[in-house]
Amino acid sequence: MKPTIFITRKLPEAVIQPLKEKYEVTMWNRDVQAVPRERLINEAQRADALLTMLSDRIDETLLETARELKVIANMAVGFDNIDLAAASKRGIAVCNTPEVLTDTTADLTFALLLATARRIVEAAEMVKQDKWRGWSPLLLAGQDVHHKTIGIVGMGKIGEAVAKRASGFEMRILYHNRTRKPEVEKQLGACYASFEELVEKADFVVCLTPLTAETRNLFTLEVFQKMKKTAVFINVGRGPVVDEQALYEALETGEIAGAGLDVFASEPIGADHPLLKLTNVVALPHIGSSSIDTRTAMMDLCVKNIDAVLSGRRPPTLVNQDWVTKGIVQ
Ligand code: GLV
Ligand code: GLV
């Protein structure tokens, strides 16, 4: 019998074709709607591999009955939707899609920063809605980006790529990270700052941290109050890193000038979300890595990770490094 793979979202035929030759592939055939939890648990019970999305919760309860499962390939760089310890304990490899999405996500981060600073969305809507009546001295006047200070919270690969773009705009670059990055400091002239110093000094506070126990609710009302009144907050990391009620309050009372958000505490958000009522908010539907090339590369990498583990090889982008000793590969 061929090993079984369950894919939790509709992916292009061309991507999964290589898997079909060697494996029994089942796919949840919806593009936008996530697979219902019950179906996911059922499929996981007989699957040797899961190809998952960041919207699928892979927790202890699911893993407990997933007795055949050997690999989870998550189509994202983040893996906060997966209980790593529970997977490691059972010898299940967890894989993500780093590197291939770095530049694309940095491009989106910078696009969102520029759009928020220069009020691009408001301006474009004005024209499309036939509300443009003439040139005016301060029509939709926004914030300058060039020569300002960017503060990057979470200096991983994407943070570095954002810093590179910021240096092209001749920005002063501050960053905060668990570990210092001397190479980045040398190459891009980025300066390490404490979290407090960064939020106080930056004109653009850019959040790119993964969601962990330490970063959950990192941006509180107190933090927003420490920012400049002209500061723009950008979040392309994970929604739960921000207290959204506090962000709303900070934006409404003028503690900060604007926010560009690609991620939210609970996704998707609907039109009734309080933050959408504010004109100084640019909201995007979690599209950081969404270029055709990059999303295709992410799918291909998931396929490679699954094929490697099911063929008894170490997967190219393994997350749980303690896996090898407990897993099928010795
Ligand atoms: C997207 O948010 C990802 O983690 O890839
Ligand atoms: C703007 O278009 C200007 O000419 O100042």
Side-chain angles (χ1 to χ4, degrees), residues 132-239:
W132 184 25
R133 297 290 168 261
W135 192 91
S136 118
L138 284 174
L139 178 64
L140 288 158
Q143 313 266 351
D144 274 328
V145 172
H146 64 87
H147 297 99
K148 293 289 183 70
T149 299
I150 188 172
I152 300 170
V153 180
M155 196 60 137
K157 287 279 184 328
I158 299 168
E160 289 179 31
V162 168
K164 209 184 265 179
R165 284 151 182 74
S167 73
F169 281 73
E170 300 181 78
M171 299 178 89
R172 180 178 172 224
I173 303 164
L174 301 178
Y175 78 97
H176 181 73
N177 200 48
R178 266 182 316 178
T179 51
R180 278 185 78 149
K181 299 277 186 86
E183 276 309 303
V184 180
E185 293 179 23
K186 218 166 66 194
Q187 279 171 16
L188 297 169
C191 298
Y192 181 83
S194 69
F195 182 66
E196 288 70 26
E197 188 190 354
L198 182 147
V199 297
E200 278 170 19
K201 290 191 173 160
D203 297 300
F204 296 92
V205 178
V206 178
C207 171
L208 290 166
T209 59
L211 176 62
T212 64
E214 290 77 43
T215 64
R216 186 177 289 276
N217 249 19
L218 178 65
F219 288 91
T220 58
L221 185 58
E222 207 190 345
V223 170
F224 289 119
Q225 284 167 341
K226 283 198 182 116
M227 292 182 191
K228 295 180 179 181
K229 297 254 189 279
T230 52
V232 169
F233 176 69
I234 304 294
N235 190 8
V236 184
R238 281 291 182 270

Side-chain angles (χ1 to χ4, degrees), residues 74 84 149 217 220 273 277 303 323:
N74 206 40
L84 275 194
T149 299
N217 249 19
T220 58
H273 194 289
K277 309 266 184 286
V303 165
W323 167 74

Side-chain angles (χ1 to χ4, degrees), residues 54 76-78 101 238 286 298:
L54 51 83
V77 65
L101 50 58
R238 281 291 182 270
H286 203 148
M298 291 163 70

Side-chain angles (χ1 to χ4, degrees), residues 107-117 234-236 259-262 282-284:
D107 284 350
L108 186 282
T109 305
F110 226 82
L112 183 53
L113 186 156
L114 287 167
T116 311
I234 304 294
N235 190 8
V236 184
L261 308 168
D262 187 42
V282 175
L284 300 179

